[in-house]
Every structure is written in C-alpha cells, then in structure tokens.
C-alpha cells in the first residue's frame, strides 16, 4: 500500500460509497470463534489491517481461517494449539484485540499469553480492568520478563464484577470469558455499545445464555459447550460518521451505503446542529452540506449512548468552518487531541486545554483524565505536509486536506488502513483529486 497521498484540495466529495462490517465487532467476533467446537462463518468482514492481524493471531493458535467468498471468513477452531510469546509478540502488531483472546484461550488451552499491546497512541491504555476481571473468574496472572502469562489451574467460575468505567474492551473480556465459566456472572457498569450488543448476538447464536438489564448490567449463565455461528457483522458506524463529516467539510454530498440510523442517533443530532443535512434511506444515509454557514456546538465524548470518542476527530475539522466558538470535551481517553497540532498548521484555530474546562451546560460528569479543545471558526484551511498519528486523527487529516486550499502531503497512511476499508478507492469514487506515493 502507498505510504503517502498528495491531495489537491478544494473539490467537494460527491457520490456513493459503502461501509461494511464494523472493525470493532468483526475483530471481536473472530476471537469468539475460538470458543466454538465447530467452524464459524462471519459475513461482511471489512478488508482492513486489524482483521489481518487477528487472522494471523488465530492462525498462530491453530485456527484455520479461509475466505469462501468476498467479505466472508470461515474460522475453524477445531485444532486449537498453544503458541509462544515470540510468535504472538511478532504478530500482535498495532492491535488492541489480542488481549481479548484470554478467556477463550483459558477455556480451550488452560493458558493465555498477553503480548505487548498496540492500538492507537491516544494516551495510557491500561489493562487493569481486564486483569481484575480475569482474576475474579479464578485466573492466575503471572508477570515475567517475557510478558503476562495467565492460567486457570482450577477452571473458571462465574463472578460478580463491577467495572470502574464502562470499558468496551473489558466488557468484551467478561463476555468472552463468562460464557463458558461455571455458574452465573453479573457484570455491572458494562459498556453497551451497539458492537457489544452484536457480540452478544454472536455468542447467543453459539449457544450462550446472556441477558441485559436497563442499568448497564449484563448477566451471563455459563454453558458447557458452544458451537460455531453464522453472522453478518453490524455496519461500521464510526466509518459512516467519518464520511458524513467528509461531506460537510468538503461542501459535498455523500451517500453512505450500509449506514444505519439507529446506531448513529447521537451523531446525527450533532451533525444537524452543526448545519449538516441528512436523509435516511433503507440502504444507507445521504449526508450533504446544504449551503449557508455552519454553526458552532459544544460536545462531550462519552460511552454509548453518548457522543463517541471516535467521532470527535472528523467533527473537529468541520467545526473549524463553523461561525463561532465550539468546545469538544474528550472524556474517554486522556490524550486524544494530539492530532489537532497538524490542523493548526493548516490554519485552524484550536486551543487544547490539557486539564479540561469547566462548563455549566455539561451532560457528562467531569472525569479526571479529560481534555477540552476550543475551536474558533471559520478559518480557511491551507495545504501542508502532515504525518498521520493514528486511525481517526489520520482520517481527519485526509478530509482537512480535501477541504484546504492548495496541495497537502499526508504521510504514514498505515494507521488509516487499520480501520478504513479501501479508503483510497473510496476517495477516488467520490471524485477527490490526489496522487499516491510509495
Ligand atoms: N481503561 C482502563 N483500564 C482498562 C481498560 C480501559 O483504565 O483495563 C480506560 C481506557 O484507558 C480509556 C477508557 O477506559 O480511558 C475506555 O477504554 P475502552 O476499554 O472502552 O476502549 P477499548 O476497548 O480499548 C474500543 C475501541 C476504540 C474506541 C473505544 C471507545 C476496539 C478495538 N477499540 O477501545 O476504538 O475508541 O472502544 O469506544 O474496539 C478506534 O476504532 O480508533 C478505537 C480506538
């Protein structure tokens, strides 16, 4: 894949693109396949590098992964076998998903190894909730010079767990472990993102017994045996929101095939408040800039059903064109505004407050680690040379460059390919003016 894209800005993006299965479900459903004693079929799998990493990890553990048709993965876990620290360290690469192998591997092999975890560099990304949950199930966590080795000499039993924060990954860890643990698990303060509900659907197809209550509580009754599933992944709402922002920023008109209103309700409210137009269709959502000035907003990122942290980066590019002062509070990650430096370089007026800002109109309670970005617009954007820092920040650079006057060089495209399927082809289909460099 090319490492650099040279973009001639100023041309609206127009046309239709498709989003497929969500990165944050597909990779987890692939891990769930380890729990079955027959093969699983996952459909609508996006062609992204995080899926490649999880495929290689599964291969290392003896899972045969093949693609019977475009966008489909057949995952056969019949010959699951142990592997070594060196192998998984080399494979885990830039993904956070490998930590979710723990529960399934403990059930299948009695041992799990945790590699040096990657993922986007958006602040300290601890795994304490994961380790505490595994210990509550009866696992023993040993740290050695090689990494973390987890064993379950006496098997795993149901547990009462309350997460300190509704972490997506830790909720998935509990689900993937509790389904085959002995007895009932009660998980309080769980994350309830649509991708988690879809993972619950996958596990239920496999034979799991899981029910949820309205107050972020999930119950899981362990079963002795799970079989494979056939499942079509929920569509990628983060990718859909990114293309919606691209339409607004470039004054364009994009039909995002596969986008689902239900999973985007909170995003759509903000999109409308900023001045974007959208139309919900059976097979997707059309997003466009209806003309006239954009309006400033105040947004706080939050766990579902709040405004997702992955939506703020492309939104901020649109807010550089709104008339007035917008404030975005990042309350989920402790360092997710690093990407704004390059937007500043392109002409944006963004001031980051590292300890957050007080505000009387907030919905989300203040968190210790939060920051705030104050965006004053409208400021014309001009071309620059910028290096992609992470997945969502990287996409926001692409759309800033597409809206800017003049030429931009965006380097280090790799992190964007972690989660945006065929983004170069999609830019081409939408009429963007660019060339690629190796
Ligand atoms: N946290 C802890 N301890 C833990 C786990 C999490 O303190 O053991 C904290 C994190 O540091 C963070 C907060 O809890 O401050 C939320 O983290 P969470 O566990 O919810 O995030 P994650 O599971 O690591 C997933 C997505 C992210 C997405 C977040 C929030 C995947 C592979 N990643 O991360 O996606 O931003 O949930 O919804 O599913 C992306 O797609 O670009 C991306 C980063």
């Amino acid at each position: 894949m090319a490492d650099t894209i040279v973009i001639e800005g100023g041309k609206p993006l127009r046309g239709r693109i498709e989003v497929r299965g969500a990165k944050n479900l597909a990779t987890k459903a692939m891990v769930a396949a380890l729990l079955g004693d027959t093969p699983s079929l996952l459909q609508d799998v996006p062609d992204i590098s995080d899926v490649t990493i999880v495929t290689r990890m599964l291969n290392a553990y003896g899972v045969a992964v093949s693609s019977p048709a475009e966008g489909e993965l057949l995952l056969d876990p019949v010959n699951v076998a142990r592997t070594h620290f060196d192998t998984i360290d080399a494979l885990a690469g830039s993904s956070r998903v490998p930590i979710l192998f723990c529960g399934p591997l403990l059930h299948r092999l009695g041992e799990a190894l945790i590699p040096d975890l990657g993922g986007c560099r958006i602040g300290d990304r601890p795994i304490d909730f994961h380790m505490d949950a595994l210990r509550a199930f009866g696992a023993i966590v040993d740290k050695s010079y090689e990494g973390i080795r987890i064993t379950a000499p006496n098997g795993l039993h149901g547990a009462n767990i309350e997460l300190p924060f509704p972490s997506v990954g830790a909720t998935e860890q509990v689900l993937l472990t509790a389904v085959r643990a002995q007895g009932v698990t009660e998980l309080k303060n769980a994350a309830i993102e649509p991708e988690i509900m879809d993972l619950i659907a996958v596990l239920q197809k496999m034979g799991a017994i899981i029910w949820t209550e309205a107050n972020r509580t999930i119950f899981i009754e362990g079963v002795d045996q799970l079989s494979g599933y056939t499942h079509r992944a929920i569509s990628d709402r983060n990718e859909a929101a990114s293309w919606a922002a691209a339409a607004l920023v470039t004054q364009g008109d994009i039909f995002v095939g596969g986008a689902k209103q239900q999973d985007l309700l909170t995003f759509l409210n903000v999109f409308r408040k900023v001045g974007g137009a959208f139309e919900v269709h059976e097979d997707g959502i059309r997003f466009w800039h209806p003309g006239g000035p954009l309006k400033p907003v105040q947004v706080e990122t939050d766990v579902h059903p709040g405004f997702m942290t992955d939506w703020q980066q492309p939104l901020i590019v649109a807010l550089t064109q709104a008339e007035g002062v917008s404030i975005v509070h990042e309350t989920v990650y402790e360092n997710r505004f690093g990407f704004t430096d390059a937007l500043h370089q392109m002409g944006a007026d963004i001031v980051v407050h590292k300890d957050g800002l007080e505000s009387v109109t907030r919905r989300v309670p203040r968190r210790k680690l939060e920051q705030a970005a104050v965006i004053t617009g409208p400021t014309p954007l001009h071309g620059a040379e910028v290096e992609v820092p992470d997945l969502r920040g990287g996409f926001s650079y692409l759309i800033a460059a597409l809206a800017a006057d003049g030429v931009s060089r965006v380097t280090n495209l790799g992190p964007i390919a972690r989660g945006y399927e065929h983004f170069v082809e999609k830019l081409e289909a939408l009429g963007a003016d660019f060339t690629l460099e190796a």
Side-chain angles (χ1 to χ4, degrees):
M1 202 195 96
D3 177 66
T4 298
I5 185 166
V6 180
I7 295 177
E8 173 83 48
K11 212 172 148 196
L13 294 185
R14 289 180 199 285
R16 175 175 176 136
I17 48 115
E18 304 294 321
V19 295
R20 283 208 282 191
K23 159 174 99 64
N24 292 349
L25 176 276
T27 47
K28 325 294 173 68
M30 290 171 73
V31 178
L34 263 174
L35 288 162
D37 55 14
T38 52
S40 291
L41 181 69
L42 185 61
Q43 295 159 321
D44 243 355
V45 183
D47 182 12
I48 52 174
S49 55
D50 267 15
V51 165
T52 312
I53 289 171
V54 179
T55 301
R56 289 186 184 142
M57 289 274 303
L58 286 168
N59 288 156
Y61 282 110
V63 179
V65 183
S66 57
S67 180
E70 218 269 320
E72 287 190 1
L73 288 183
L74 185 66
L75 306 128
D76 185 348
V78 174
N79 296 315
V80 168
R82 289 186 182 211
T83 186
H84 310 283
F85 268 117
D86 296 354
T87 315
I88 52 169
D89 266 346
L91 295 175
S94 61
S95 175
R96 293 272 301 172
V97 180
I99 195 180
L100 297 178
F101 280 63
C102 293
L105 288 176
L106 286 173
H107 290 302
R108 293 296 304 259
L109 303 170
E111 178 191 78
L113 310 177
I114 300 191
D116 181 22
L117 290 174
C120 290
R121 301 282 172 232
I122 49 182
D124 197 16
R125 296 182 72 178
I127 55 170
D128 50 335
F129 303 166
H130 295 254
M131 294 306 109
D132 290 349
L134 288 166
R135 284 193 196 96
F137 284 110
I140 294 171
V141 178
D142 285 315
K143 292 181 189 162
S144 74
Y145 70 97
E146 286 177 302
I148 302 176
R149 182 185 303 272
I150 304 171
T151 49
N154 302 317
L156 297 171
H157 52 76
N160 291 326
I161 298 168
E162 178 161 3
L163 295 178
F165 180 77
S167 149
V168 169
T171 299
E172 293 160 343
Q173 182 78 267
V174 170
L175 287 169
L176 290 164
T177 307
V179 284
R180 289 264 337 260
Q182 260 199 359
V184 176
T185 293
E186 178 180 357
L187 175 63
K188 288 190 183 149
N189 206 23
I192 50 165
E193 268 62 7
E195 293 78 16
I196 288 179
M197 294 301 140
D198 208 35
L199 181 63
I200 291 177
V202 167
L203 293 167
Q204 189 179 53
K205 284 177 176 174
M206 299 178 79
I209 298 173
I210 303 172
W211 64 103
T212 58
E213 288 187 357
N215 54 357
R216 292 195 177 278
T217 304
I218 302 179
F219 291 91
I220 305 112
E221 190 175 314
V223 295
D224 291 338
Q225 183 251 334
L226 294 169
S227 47
Y229 62 81
T230 295
H231 189 76
R232 185 169 295 281
I234 188 176
S235 94
D236 199 316
R237 65 200 171 106
N238 295 339
E239 188 185 355
S242 299
W243 289 111
L248 199 56
V249 168
T250 65
Q251 313 231 353
D253 189 337
I254 303 180
F255 189 97
V256 182
K260 298 266 190 304
Q261 180 189 16
Q262 274 307 320
D263 303 333
L264 283 161
L265 292 172
T266 306
F267 175 81
L268 293 172
N269 287 334
V270 173
F271 189 78
R272 177 170 279 159
K273 282 203 222 174
V274 175
F278 64 88
E279 209 172 65
V280 178
H281 293 250
E282 193 92 313
D283 58 341
I285 305 179
R286 176 186 163 213
F287 298 94
W288 74 99
H289 189 310
L294 297 183
K295 286 165 277 189
V297 288
Q298 181 167 324
V299 168
E300 298 137 52
T301 66
D302 194 11
V303 292
H304 188 77
F307 190 90
M308 243 202 123
T309 161
D310 297 274
W311 298 337
Q312 55 94 341
Q313 302 82 348
L315 174 77
I316 282 181
V317 184
L319 295 179
T320 67
Q321 302 312 307
E323 289 198 343
V325 179
S326 297
I327 305 178
V328 177
H329 298 268
E330 170 59 54
T331 80
V332 177
Y333 285 110
E334 66 179 6
N335 179 19
R336 222 175 179 181
F337 285 137
F339 76 100
T340 59
D341 288 349
L343 297 181
H344 205 74
Q345 201 187 321
M346 297 176 85
D349 180 349
I350 304 175
V351 178
V352 175
H353 296 260
K354 294 213 180 314
D355 298 317
L357 278 178
E358 291 300 338
S359 163
V360 283
T361 54
R362 294 197 46 159
R363 193 184 70 80
V364 182
R366 260 196 87 149
R367 288 189 72 211
K368 220 171 48 211
L369 48 63
E370 73 178 41
Q371 327 99 67
V374 177
I375 306 113
T376 307
T379 47
L381 298 177
H382 51 78
E385 171 145 357
V386 292
E387 184 184 338
V388 168
D390 59 58
L391 174 67
R392 307 291 168 200
F395 190 88
S396 78
Y397 289 4
L398 291 181
I399 62 177
L402 288 159
D405 276 341
V407 176
S408 296
R409 285 185 88 237
V410 183
T411 61
N412 188 35
L413 296 179
I416 303 181
R418 277 190 46 211
Y420 289 95
E421 182 182 49
H422 305 157
F423 66 92
V424 170
E425 290 80 354
K426 289 178 186 173
L427 288 175
E428 195 161 23
L430 296 171
D433 199 350
F434 66 88
T435 53
L436 295 172
E437 289 175 8

